[in-house]
Amino acid sequence: MVVHYELPVARTFDDEFVVASCTPASGSVFPVGVTTVSCSATDSVGNSISGEFTVTVTDPDRDRDGVRRVDGDCDDDDPAVFPGAREVVDGKDNDCDGLVDNVNVAPVADAGADVSAAEASTSDGAVVVLDGSGSSDADVPNGDVISYSWSARGITFDDSSIVNPSATFPLGTTEVTLVVTDSYGKSDSSTVSVTVVDTTEPVIVAPDDIEIELTAVLTQVSVGAPTVTDAADQFPLVSGDSPGGFPLGSTTVTWTATDASGNESTATQTVTVVDTTAPSLFGVPRDVREEYGQTRPSAPQVIVVDASESEPREVLPTEVRTDGPNADTYSITRTWTASDSSGNTVVGTQVISVSDTTPPVVTVPADVSAEATGRETELGFGAGLATDNSSVAPSVTNDAPTGGFPLGATTVTWTATDISGNSTSATQTVTVSDTTPPTVQGPTNARFESTTVVTRVVLSPPVVTDVVDPEPLVTNDAPSEGFPVGDTLVTWTATDFSGNSASSTQIVTLEDTTPPVLVVPGDIETNATGALTTVAIGTASATDAVDPAPVITNDAPAQFTVGTTVVTWTATDESGNSSSAVQQVVVLGAAEMKSSVMDALAEISGEGKEIEDALRESEKGLDSKNWTDGGELSSQHGHRALSADKKAVNKLLLALDQKGMKALSPEAREIVEQAIITLVNIDRLLAETQIANAEDLTVRSPKDQRAHDKQLADARKRFAEAEVEFAKGDYGKAIDRFRAAWNHAVKAEESADGHSSKIDEGV
C-alpha cells in the first residue's frame, strides 16, 4: 500500500528549522504490518539529530468471513472459502488446502497388542516401547496425513507424537490411549494395557567374617550389616539372626533380604570368638625395699579375673630367697601364677629387697691445739668410736696427715663404715700455731758514691731463719726512688707466714765527691766599639750527678779593653765540689779592624777598579807613621789615616752605585756594604778614643782650660752629628763628622799647657 506522511522538522538552538529526511520515504509502498521509519536532520554547522516512528498497514476482511488474506484466506472475496471451511463439491477449494472438491475419510487408530509381563528393571518400573503402526487412513494415498497422540495417567513419553514412543511404566497395569488425526481434523482412538511385574530376588552380600578376642562369657560383637541391592525395590527389608552375645568359638549369622514384591534371598557370616588373653591379677604389690631387721608383713590377697570366667578367684604366692653380698643383704621373690581354660597364663611377682642402709654412729675425740715445732708437727689427737645395728662392728678410719700436722687448723675427718658400705663421718679440728718470730742477723752498714740526686744502690739482705717458715718474707724501708746524699737508716724486717716478725737496722751512707761538669761559651773575637767595649760573652752550663743546679760564676769585667781578656768560669755544687774552665775574649782595635776590612776587600778585588782603589787608600791609612805604639792615631800624622778612610769609603760608595755590566755581584755588594760600615765604625772609635784622651788631661792654666774646653765641646758636637748621620746611613757625612771630631779632640789636647799626662791610659 502506498503511504504518505508529513516529514518531521528539527529546531536548532538559534531557532533554525531543519526538515528531516526519512527512510522509507513518504509515498513509498508499505507492506501489511508495522514498518519503522528512520529520520535524521543536520544544521548548517554540521550538528545532527536522529529519530524514528512506525507506520502500520492493516489488511481488511473484505468478504467478512472472519479470515483475512494475511491470515490464509485463499479467496477473500468469497465468504464460503477460508481455512477450515467444509469442503463441498462446488468446483472450489473451500478449505484452502490446495484441493478442489476433496471429501475426506476419517482415519482408523490401532494401539497394538497388550503388554502383559514387562519385568521391572529399576524402582521406577520397566521401559516399554508401544506400537501404533497398525493405524491407517484411506486418504493417505491422496495426500492426507495422520498424526499420533499417546497418553496415559502419570506416564511421560519420550515423544508422544510418534508411531513407536517409549516410556517407563510402574509396577502394575497402566491403560494407554492412542488418538490418530488426519489433516482434515478427523480422528480415531485405540487403547492398550501395559502390565509391569517384579520376579527378581534381591542381591545380598553378608558382612565379612569376624574373629574377635573374648571379652566376656558372651562377647558383644558389632557384626556390621549386609549390602543389599534390588532392581525394583530401593529399600528391601533386611533381617539377621545375630545373638545378643557370642560364646567362645564360631557362630554362623544368617542374613535375609525381602523386596516389596516378596522376592527373598539369604547370605551367611561367621563370627569367631577366640581367647588369647591371659587372666588379670589384681592386688599384686609393688616391689619394696626392706630395712635389715625390720618385721615383714604377710603376703597380701591377690585376685584372678578372666573374661572366660564368670566369677573372680584368689591365688596364693610362692616365695624364694636369694642371698646378697653379705649377711645383711638378700631378697625375697613372691610369685603369683594363674591360668584360664584356654591355657593362657599370667604371672605376678613382688621382690622384697632386704638391705642395711642405716649408717653407723661415730664419736670423735675433742679438738686439739699445739705450738708448731717445724713445718709439720707430730702430736697425739685421740681415737674415734662407732656403733651400728649390724651384726659386724663397723670400721673406723681418719684422714689425719701421716707426717705431722701443718701450720694452722687441720680438719680430721673420722669415718665409720659397716659391712653394707653405709658410712657416717664427723670431724675433729687439730690446730697448730706459730707464735715464734724469725731470727734476723745483720746486715752491716754500707757506704756508696752518689750518682744522682737520689741514688739507687743494691743492699745485701740480712741472714734470716725461722723454725717453721723456710723462707720468711724480708722487707726494708729503704727509699724506693733511691738514697739522698748523707746517712739513711734502713730497717730490715723478716715476717714468717704466720705474721711473726723481727727487725734489724743498717746505716746507708751516700757521698758526693764528684765535681760538676762545666761547659763554657766559645772564644769571642769582636770589634772595639770604644775605649771600653761591651761584649755578650754567653752563658756557661753545668751538670752534676747530685746537684741539679750548680752555682756558676765568672770573672769577666763589665766592659772589655782592646786586646785579649781571659775569662775564668767556675761551677760549684752543693757539696762544695767545683770545676773551672776559661774563655778568651778578643777585642780588635782600629788597626786590626782596618786589616780585616782589607782582607775582605782583597777577596773581591776583581769586582772593579773602585775596589782596588779603596784597598790602596786603606793601605795608606795603615802606614806606621800614622799610628802610635799603643794602637792610637798619631796626633801629628793621624789625620792622614782618617783622610785615607774617607777616600776609601767614597770609592766603595761609588762601587755600590755602579750599574749594568759594572754592577757588583750580590756577594761582593754585601762585603762592600759591611766594609763601609766597619771603616765608619773605625773612625768613630778613633774619634771617641781621642775625645776620651782629651777629657783625661789636666789643664794647668785657666786660659788653656778655656781653649781646651772649647775644642773639646766642638769635638763632642761633631761626634754627636756624626752619630746622627751614621744612624741615617749617610756614611760620607758620618765619616767627615767623625774626622772633624778627632781633629777638635787633638786641638783640645794641644791646648793643654805642656801636654799634661793622661789620667787613664785606656784605648
Side-chain angles (χ1 to χ4, degrees):
M1 175 182 288
V2 177
V3 177
H4 295 274
Y5 55 83
E6 183 180 356
L7 291 176
V9 177
R11 183 179 182 181
T12 65
F13 286 106
D14 54 1
D15 292 331
E16 177 186 355
F17 292 93
V18 179
V19 178
S21 60
C22 300
T23 303
S26 177
S28 300
V29 176
F30 283 76
V32 174
V34 178
T35 299
T36 298
V37 179
S38 298
C39 302
S40 63
T42 303
D43 63 13
S44 59
V45 296
N47 299 310
S48 62
I49 188 173
S50 61
E52 59 185 25
F53 61 92
T54 60
V55 174
T56 302
V57 177
T58 61
D59 182 14
D61 184 9
R62 291 199 298 266
D63 59 7
R64 300 185 183 276
D65 57 7
V67 181
R68 298 175 301 168
R69 181 182 295 275
V70 72
D71 295 328
D73 191 342
C74 56
D75 185 359
D76 202 25
D77 294 323
D78 187 350
V81 177
F82 57 87
R86 181 177 179 185
E87 185 72 28
V88 294
V89 180
D90 57 2
K92 299 179 181 179
D93 182 10
N94 303 96
D95 55 5
C96 295
D97 62 358
L99 299 176
V100 178
D101 296 337
N102 58 327
V103 179
N104 179 256
V105 178
V108 177
D110 183 357
D114 292 339
V115 179
S116 60
E119 185 70 26
S121 59
T122 66
S123 59
D124 292 331
V127 176
V128 177
V129 179
L130 301 180
D131 184 12
S133 61
S135 300
S136 62
D137 188 339
D139 295 321
V140 169
N142 298 322
D144 199 358
V145 178
I146 62 175
S147 61
Y148 298 82
S149 176
W150 298 84
S151 63
R153 184 185 298 273
I155 301 301
T156 301
F157 293 92
D158 57 350
D159 186 352
S160 61
S161 63
I162 63 178
V163 177
N164 300 109
S166 64
T168 300
F169 289 84
L171 288 174
T173 300
T174 302
E175 292 291 331
V176 180
T177 300
L178 169 63
V179 176
V180 294
T181 304
D182 64 13
S183 55
Y184 295 99
K186 294 181 179 182
S187 63
D188 187 28
S189 64
S190 173
T191 62
V192 64
S193 295
V194 177
T195 301
V196 177
V197 297
D198 176 17
T199 62
T200 303
E201 297 176 353
V203 177
I204 182 169
V205 178
D208 292 339
D209 293 342
I210 297 174
E211 182 176 284
I212 190 168
E213 185 68 24
L214 178 75
T215 60
V217 176
L218 293 178
T219 301
Q220 298 296 316
V221 180
S222 176
V223 296
T227 301
V228 179
T229 58
D230 188 77
D233 189 354
Q234 285 187 331
F235 304 104
L237 178 63
V238 179
S239 62
D241 59 357
S242 173
F246 289 81
L248 186 64
S250 296
T251 301
T252 299
V253 177
T254 300
W255 296 92
T256 301
T258 305
D259 64 17
S261 300
N263 302 305
E264 183 178 278
S265 61
T266 61
T268 61
Q269 171 190 21
T270 299
V271 177
T272 302
V273 178
V274 298
D275 182 10
T276 62
T277 304
S280 298
L281 295 177
F282 293 91
V284 176
R286 293 178 299 175
D287 293 346
V288 296
R289 195 202 69 78
E290 186 179 284
E291 188 67 20
Y292 175 76
Q294 177 182 340
T295 301
R296 184 178 311 119
S298 58
Q301 183 184 46
V302 174
I303 301 301
V304 179
V305 176
D306 189 74
S308 64
E309 300 174 5
S310 59
E311 296 293 336
R313 53 190 170 90
E314 182 181 359
V315 63
L316 297 177
T318 61
E319 290 189 359
V320 176
R321 170 176 172 144
T322 302
D323 291 333
N326 57 61
D328 297 341
T329 304
Y330 60 91
S331 65
I332 299 295
T333 302
R334 290 174 173 169
T335 303
W336 289 266
T337 304
S339 300
D340 61 13
S341 58
S342 298
N344 301 305
T345 301
V346 64
V347 177
T349 60
Q350 177 194 29
V351 178
I352 302 172
S353 300
V354 180
S355 61
D356 179 13
T357 61
T358 303
V361 176
V362 64
T363 303
V364 301
D367 295 342
V368 176
S369 297
E371 179 68 19
T373 60
R375 295 201 66 180
E376 283 82 25
T377 301
E378 294 187 359
L379 53 89
F381 54 92
L385 300 176
T387 59
D388 190 64
N389 62 348
S390 176
S391 57
V392 179
S395 63
V396 180
T397 61
N398 66 68
D399 60 356
T402 57
F405 287 87
L407 188 65
T410 300
T411 299
V412 178
T413 301
W414 295 85
T415 302
T417 306
D418 61 19
I419 62 173
S420 296
N422 303 305
S423 64
T424 187
S425 298
T427 60
Q428 171 195 22
T429 302
V430 177
T431 304
V432 177
S433 302
D434 176 17
T435 61
T436 304
T439 299
V440 182
Q441 297 178 348
T444 60
N445 295 336
R447 184 178 295 273
F448 302 91
E449 177 69 19
S450 294
T451 59
T452 60
V453 178
V454 287
T455 303
R456 296 179 182 272
V457 299
V458 178
L459 301 179
S460 298
V463 177
V464 178
T465 58
D466 188 78
V467 68
V468 176
D469 189 350
E471 296 181 357
L473 175 64
V474 179
T475 61
N476 63 60
D477 60 356
S480 59
E481 66 278 6
F483 289 84
V485 175
D487 294 337
T488 301
L489 181 65
V490 176
T491 300
W492 293 85
T493 302
T495 305
D496 62 20
F497 48 51
S498 297
N500 305 304
S501 63
S503 301
S504 67
T505 60
Q506 173 190 27
I507 296 175
V508 178
T509 302
L510 270 292
E511 299 175 321
D512 178 15
T513 62
T514 304
V517 176
L518 176 64
V519 179
V520 301
D523 293 342
I524 297 174
E525 183 179 281
T526 186
N527 294 331
T529 59
L532 296 176
T533 300
T534 300
V535 180
I537 62 175
T539 303
S541 63
T543 57
D544 188 77
V546 177
D547 186 356
V551 177
I552 300 175
T553 60
N554 66 65
D555 58 358
Q559 290 182 307
F560 291 82
T561 61
V562 173
T564 300
T565 302
V566 177
V567 178
T568 300
W569 294 83
T570 302
T572 305
D573 64 18
E574 59 186 5
S575 296
N577 304 305
S578 65
S579 60
S580 298
V582 297
Q583 173 192 24
Q584 287 189 351
V585 178
V586 178
V587 178
L588 300 177
E592 290 86 353
M593 293 168 63
K594 188 180 289 291
S595 295
S596 68
V597 169
M598 292 179 64
D599 291 342
L601 292 176
E603 294 179 0
I604 61 170
S605 60
E607 288 282 335
K609 180 177 180 301
E610 289 78 6
I611 305 299
E612 295 176 355
D613 292 344
L615 272 172
R616 284 193 294 272
E617 292 298 332
S618 295
E619 288 176 358
K620 293 177 182 179
L622 285 177
D623 191 338
S624 60
K625 296 179 181 180
N626 301 332
W627 302 86
T628 67
D629 294 339
E632 297 179 3
L633 284 178
S634 166
S635 59
Q636 183 178 1
H637 302 292
H639 64 281
R640 296 176 182 174
L642 296 175
S643 295
D645 289 344
K646 165 67 175 178
K647 292 177 182 180
V649 168
N650 288 337
K651 293 293 183 180
L652 294 175
L653 290 173
L654 183 60
L656 290 178
D657 289 338
Q658 295 297 324
K659 307 294 183 181
M661 296 296 293
K662 295 183 177 181
L664 297 176
S665 66
E667 295 79 5
R669 188 177 188 86
E670 183 178 354
I671 292 173
V672 169
E673 289 174 348
Q674 186 60 45
I676 293 171
I677 294 172
T678 302
L679 289 173
V680 176
N681 259 325
I682 290 171
D683 286 8
R684 177 183 180 281
L685 172 63
L686 293 171
E688 184 181 18
T689 301
Q690 190 62 44
I691 291 172
N693 290 339
E695 289 174 341
D696 291 340
L697 293 174
T698 301
V699 183
R700 294 183 178 181
S701 68
K703 179 181 178 181
D704 292 338
Q705 184 68 52
R706 287 193 295 272
H708 172 271
D709 291 344
K710 180 180 182 305
Q711 292 297 329
L712 189 59
D714 289 343
R716 290 169 179 163
K717 178 181 178 183
R718 294 291 180 265
F719 189 88
E721 292 172 351
E723 290 278 65
V724 171
E725 298 298 336
F726 195 13
K728 290 164 55 179
D730 192 341
Y731 302 122
K733 289 183 180 180
I735 203 167
D736 284 342
R737 300 294 189 274
F738 284 131
R739 186 177 62 172
W742 183 85
N743 287 329
H744 283 293
V746 170
K747 290 179 181 180
E749 186 178 32
E750 292 174 349
S751 299
D753 184 20
H755 289 264
S756 300
S757 60
K758 299 176 182 178
I759 298 174
D760 185 357
E761 291 296 328
V763 175

